[in-house]
Amino acid sequence: MKITAADVIVTSPSRNFVTLKITTDEGITGLGDATLNGRELAVATYLKEHLAPLLLNRDPHNIEDTWQFLYRSSYWRRGPVTMAAIAAVDMALWDIKGKVAGLPVYQLLGGASRTGLRTYGHASGRDLPELFDSIREHLEEGYKSIRIQTSVPGIKSLYGVAAQAQSSGERYDYEPAGRGDLPTEEDWDTRAYLRHVPTVFEAVRNEFGPEIPLLHDGHHRMTPIQAAKLGKSLEPYDLYWLEDCTPAENQDALRLVRQHTTTPLAIGEVFNTVYDFQTLIREQLIDYVRAASTHFGGISPLKKVMDYAALYQIRSGFHGPTDVSPVGLAAQSHVGLAIHNFGIQEYMEHSEATNSVFEQSLNFADGYLHPGDKPGLGVELNEEAAARFEYQRAYLPYNRLADGTVHDW
Ligand code: EZ4
Ligand code: CO
């Protein structure tokens, strides 16, 4: 079998997505997700200009060889653009292999280790009553675990909620990539945040009891000692995890945080390769691997990093915002179903418009996600529908402190 075409489809049903479609001489096609939120066209160009010509005439069955060839032959390694492009190729080849075998990809990865993937959803609100409503809504939809983000008194932007959703009053279903020519500026004050967050968790525990697993995302905004302080102050509320407490570039920072708190830590949504996790896993500085198949080079390296993490009882918590497309979500759901050390899957439902473009066998019921049993990844792209949603430039927001200094967002 030979690859005869590698096409890149950019579409924007509610938000931008970049999808690679690989076609073979036997007419079998495979899909891969190459969406890099706010920088989508860089990956589309990387794929079109640099990888597509290398794929033609290759045997699609040689997934590992193709991955190594694309990773090593570029000379320039790693980085989100390169790794999202390689991820799309890797996923598309697993999709093809599954279709040829007549099996869903999780079967090729060793078969199911569980009946479904436990998920968590995002609850947020401007104040406690609004947050409680959001939590109740998620519980009614079947979610058994919930991420909590709220506004902080004195800060104008509602942390964890898109500026657009704030102004329109919509429920925060979509990731905060604001469409427009310039990013939205938000404000931030870490001291106010550190005072406020424990009071929110105390109120949520008082209202909803001790059982629900609760999560929180710090979005790289704290210094190590601030993160240590937050971890300690949240210990009475028994968090499932505290995510991205410090900026991801500095892995050494986690040693300090770890010495001070038993709040479990999750990190890695902006990581691209196993090397970003190497110290964190070997020194047991984290509890959950937050990588997404899309930004981590695909299914093959995600399975490998989880096998490495298993040596240290570290589990998965794959990044699952809506900027991971249904193809990327399916890819990591197959991995999650197959590995023994699965932890939890983040799940934000895609919009109806997104689901009209990506037809999926994935299903969500009673808080559990399953990639379905269609051969391959279980996602097909409706190209006619995709063509109806034209790309629109979009940016993530950014933060400034009261004195005008740019801060991590
Ligand atoms: O801001 O995916 O845990 N989830 C997150 C996401 C990220 C976006 C960035 O593209 O932190 O909401
Ligand atoms: Co996050």
Side-chain angles (χ1 to χ4, degrees):
M1 193 157 52
K2 274 186 182 167
I3 294 173
T4 51
D7 299 303
V8 179
I9 297 107
V10 179
T11 177
S12 194
S14 307
R15 57 171 316 125
N16 295 319
F17 294 108
V18 179
T19 309
L20 175 72
K21 178 183 167 192
I22 292 181
T23 306
T24 67
D25 56 354
E26 293 179 16
I28 295 170
T29 59
L31 296 180
D33 179 24
T35 307
L36 186 61
N37 201 6
R39 296 291 185 273
E40 298 86 358
L41 298 187
V43 191
T45 305
Y46 191 108
L47 279 166
K48 273 188 238 170
E49 299 295 331
H50 305 295
L51 298 197
L54 301 177
L55 295 174
L56 296 182
N57 296 317
R58 291 184 72 85
D59 182 345
H61 275 308
N62 298 341
I63 302 176
E64 182 67 17
D65 180 66
T66 302
W67 195 97
Q68 299 294 344
F69 168 63
L70 297 181
Y71 182 78
R72 291 168 197 279
S73 69
S74 66
Y75 185 72
W76 310 107
R77 297 184 187 198
R78 310 160 69 183
V81 175
T82 300
M83 299 313 291
I86 294 176
V89 177
D90 183 82
M91 287 178 205
L93 297 185
W94 278 104
D95 195 17
I96 291 170
K97 195 182 283 296
K99 287 177 181 174
V100 172
L103 292 170
V105 167
Y106 74 81
Q107 292 291 8
L108 308 178
L109 299 174
S113 288
R114 57 194 51 75
T115 51
L117 307 178
R118 195 156 63 114
T119 60
Y120 72 89
H122 290 198
S124 62
R126 273 168 284 215
D127 49 24
L128 288 176
E130 202 176 285
L131 174 67
F132 289 180
D133 284 349
S134 175
I135 294 172
R136 280 192 198 98
E137 222 176 279
H138 281 85
L139 293 174
E140 277 161 25
E141 285 170 34
Y143 287 99
K144 311 257 181 290
S145 310
I146 300 194
R147 188 185 93 159
I148 304 282
Q149 310 288 141
T150 60
S151 53
V152 176
I155 299 179
K156 289 193 284 298
S157 51
L158 174 45
Y159 174 43
V161 178
Q164 283 166 337
Q166 287 179 55
S167 57
S168 64
E170 275 172 43
R171 187 184 131 173
Y172 171 49
D173 276 337
Y174 308 123
E175 281 299 297
R179 292 171 169 198
D181 283 332
L182 290 171
T184 315
E185 184 180 303
E186 296 186 349
D187 56 331
W188 185 247
D189 176 347
T190 308
R191 292 189 68 237
Y193 165 77
L194 292 178
R195 283 194 304 273
H196 183 64
V197 179
T199 68
V200 173
F201 277 89
E202 185 185 17
V204 172
R205 281 291 179 219
N206 287 341
E207 180 76 12
F208 294 92
E211 278 173 33
I212 310 175
L214 298 176
L215 304 86
H216 180 69
D217 193 347
H219 241 254
H220 319 287
R221 295 177 185 202
M222 286 165 273
T223 65
I225 201 70
Q226 289 169 336
K229 182 177 176 164
L230 181 64
K232 265 177 99 164
S233 60
L234 291 176
E235 278 171 23
Y237 314 114
D238 188 26
L239 262 63
Y240 189 88
W241 77 38
L242 171 61
E243 174 184 343
D244 285 340
C245 58
T246 52
E249 294 92 329
N250 182 9
Q251 277 108 52
D252 294 343
L254 272 293
R255 283 196 200 104
L256 189 148
V257 181
R258 202 61 154 172
Q259 278 161 17
H260 289 282
T261 181
T262 56
T263 293
L265 302 176
I267 214 159
E269 70 185 43
V270 300
F271 287 177
N272 312 130
T273 70
V274 67
Y275 298 106
D276 300 319
F277 280 110
Q278 194 171 13
T279 304
L280 300 183
I281 292 176
R282 193 184 53 227
E283 295 189 26
Q284 303 182 84
L285 299 179
I286 55 170
D287 302 281
Y288 296 93
V289 166
R290 283 287 287 152
S293 56
T294 308
H295 307 120
F296 201 71
I299 291 171
S300 306
L302 197 61
K303 173 75 164 66
K304 290 178 194 174
V305 76
M306 289 318 303
D307 289 342
Y308 177 42
L311 301 180
Y312 300 94
Q313 292 174 285
I314 294 170
R315 293 187 286 154
S316 67
F318 300 148
H319 192 208
T322 54
D323 48 290
V324 168
S325 90
V327 180
L329 181 66
Q332 62 197 27
S333 298
H334 285 282
V335 176
L337 202 64
I339 58 176
H340 177 252
N341 53 332
F342 171 79
I344 199 163
Q345 174 63 54
E346 181 179 26
Y347 183 50
M348 291 178 74
E349 291 149 63
H350 283 110
S351 73
E352 265 176 47
T354 299
N355 293 338
S356 75
V357 169
F358 297 93
E359 293 157 6
Q360 303 156 57
S361 64
L362 180 115
N363 64 71
F364 176 67
D366 198 30
Y368 288 84
L369 202 61
H370 192 287
D373 281 300
K374 280 222 177 115
L377 293 176
V379 187
E380 291 303 323
L381 186 74
N382 180 333
E383 293 187 47
E384 258 173 50
R388 287 199 287 272
F389 300 99
E390 211 176 304
Y391 167 80
Q392 279 182 271
R393 197 198 323 276
Y395 286 102
L396 283 157
Y398 73 102
N399 270 331
R400 284 193 192 274
L401 306 179
D403 70 354
T405 307
V406 171
H407 192 69
D408 301 278
W409 186 82

